[in-house]
Amino acid sequence: MDTHLRGWLLHRKPTTGLSSESYERNRLVAVGRAVGIELKIVTPEQIDLVVTGTDRKSVLLKSKVVDLPDFIIPRMGSETTYFALAVIRHLERLGVRSFNGSAAIEVVRDKLYTQQILAASDLPIAKTMLAKFPVNVRRVRQLIGFPVVVKTLSGQQGKGVSLCESEAALEDMMNLIAATDKNANIILQEFIPDSYGRDVRVMVIGGRVVAAMERRAKPGTFKSNLSRGGKGHPIELNEEMEWLAMETARLLDLDVAGIDMLFDNGHYRICEANSAPGFKGIEACTEVDIAQSILTYVSLCVGDMSAAAAAMDYHEAPSNCEEQVG
């Protein structure tokens, strides 16, 4: 099929601590290839920028001047560095559409700022407190209570999240953190008992919900992340859950979002939002083609109706694509 659109898939260098996202990359590349959208996999470190006004030859890829893509899809999430943001901003300034935009990515990678934005619009969230060293444990009990969830300001796949059951446990953890890095940015978050070991992940693309699943933790842990051994189960969203997910994505200006919600006695609270959500688990348990939904939305926004139509007509099983791209 002739290529209608050209895009760059921006991703971080693989690390030993987190998934390299090969599944998501392979799925997007495979669907793009099938519907006439060329996706080049690029890391920000391969790019050099030259600030020269409006010169479209100010971007070098592997030290060579290249034609700019029609769009970019950043997949670095909370691990987006300053340099990566600079690359995205530069491309945006030259007219390249980013899904998601640099401003939204910068907001969402800061979990405290995300909660502040949602709270300002009266969305239900878990009570959140910014820790400062030395931590006043008695004040934490008064304002948040125990158990308390401890999180780094940026992190994903359950990394940097712990549950402290008591004042003593929190004090020990804070002492350890202070001894290693007094400048660490830590938030303390209210523990919601009804959501112990389970939550809901909702995929919102272009302002609408396309898929949702309940995630359940493996025995003995409260982290329900699939990357930490949790299991995904299809769930039918009610109006409250659907509205909360869509409103969260709207307030944070996210084109593509993974919204995590906590159960709370028949209602729900927003836990956090993800600007580059993994979708292997949700595709497997819901059989919704997330990669197709993303590229259909991209095609519509960039204005290529033929690519959008091809994407909407694409119906290959998600499980096959990883093998195709290899």
Side-chain angles (χ1 to χ4, degrees), residues 36-48:
I37 300 175
E38 178 190 347
L39 276 176
K40 178 187 286 289
I41 297 175
V42 175
T43 64
E45 291 77 13
Q46 294 174 310
I47 297 174
D48 290 302

Side-chain angles (χ1 to χ4, degrees), residues 13-313:
K13 288 183 177 179
T15 67
T16 56
L18 291 173
S19 165
S20 63
E21 283 202 335
S22 60
Y23 177 87
E24 285 76 12
R25 291 201 306 270
N26 290 347
R27 289 281 294 116
L28 287 165
V29 170
V31 174
R33 182 182 300 157
V35 302
I37 300 175
E38 178 190 347
L39 276 176
K40 178 187 286 289
I41 297 175
V42 175
T43 64
E45 291 77 13
Q46 294 174 310
I47 297 174
D48 290 302
L49 304 176
V50 182
V51 181
T52 60
T54 59
D55 185 2
R56 291 179 65 84
K57 296 187 182 298
S58 60
V59 178
L60 285 73
L61 179 62
K62 297 181 180 179
S63 301
K64 296 180 180 179
V65 174
V66 293
D67 292 332
L68 296 183
D70 299 305
F71 66 91
I72 57 174
I73 301 177
R75 289 290 310 174
M76 296 158 289
S78 63
E79 294 207 338
T80 304
T81 63
Y82 174 83
F83 183 80
L85 273 175
V87 168
I88 298 169
R89 291 191 190 106
H90 192 87
L91 289 167
E92 287 174 326
R93 184 175 62 82
L94 295 175
V96 178
R97 175 70 185 269
S98 181
F99 301 88
N100 293 293
S102 58
I105 293 171
E106 187 171 20
V107 167
V108 172
R109 71 174 183 166
D110 185 330
K111 294 181 180 180
L112 179 66
Y113 190 29
T114 298
Q115 298 293 82
Q116 290 171 325
I117 291 173
L118 300 180
S121 294
D122 293 325
L123 264 64
I125 61 170
K127 191 182 301 182
T128 303
M129 177 180 179
L130 179 63
K132 59 181 180 179
F133 296 97
V135 173
N136 187 323
V137 176
R138 181 178 298 177
R139 188 169 299 153
V140 173
R141 174 173 289 282
Q142 293 172 342
L143 299 177
I144 302 291
F146 284 90
V148 65
V149 179
V150 181
K151 295 182 177 181
T152 56
L153 274 186
S154 62
Q156 56 190 20
Q157 299 181 349
K159 184 180 180 182
V161 180
S162 299
L163 181 66
C164 288
E165 300 276 359
S166 65
E167 292 184 20
L170 178 62
E171 192 161 11
D172 287 345
M173 177 176 288
M174 293 299 102
N175 288 338
L176 177 61
I177 293 173
T180 56
D181 183 6
K182 288 185 178 181
N183 296 317
N185 294 310
I186 303 293
I187 58 174
L188 307 175
Q189 202 164 61
E190 177 185 9
F191 172 67
I192 310 298
D194 194 36
S195 208
Y196 183 90
R198 63 179 186 142
D199 65 6
V200 176
R201 161 60 63 87
V202 185
M203 290 291 303
V204 181
I205 299 173
R208 68 182 186 91
V209 171
V210 298
M213 66 176 172
E214 179 181 342
R215 301 184 299 188
R216 301 174 191 168
K218 64 181 181 180
T221 179
F222 81 105
K223 297 180 184 180
S224 58
N225 307 75
L226 303 191
S227 60
R228 301 286 169 172
K231 301 294 183 182
H233 304 271
I235 187 172
E236 186 173 341
L237 296 185
N238 58 35
E239 290 184 5
E240 178 185 355
M241 299 165 78
E242 186 171 10
W243 181 84
L244 283 174
M246 293 190 299
E247 185 67 1
T248 298
R250 184 188 71 81
L251 288 170
L252 300 174
D253 199 23
L254 290 169
D255 299 303
V256 177
I259 309 299
D260 296 340
M261 292 189 288
L262 305 173
F263 295 92
D264 187 20
N265 295 318
H267 295 283
Y268 309 90
R269 299 202 204 186
I270 304 299
C271 178
E272 60 186 53
N274 302 272
S275 65
F279 52 80
K280 180 177 182 178
I282 202 165
E283 281 196 338
C285 80
T286 66
E287 298 184 354
V288 174
D289 194 325
I290 301 299
Q292 176 197 11
S293 297
I294 292 172
L295 292 180
T296 299
Y297 177 69
V298 167
S299 301
L300 290 170
C301 290
V302 176
D304 193 320
M305 295 300 107
S306 56
M312 286 186 279
D313 289 338

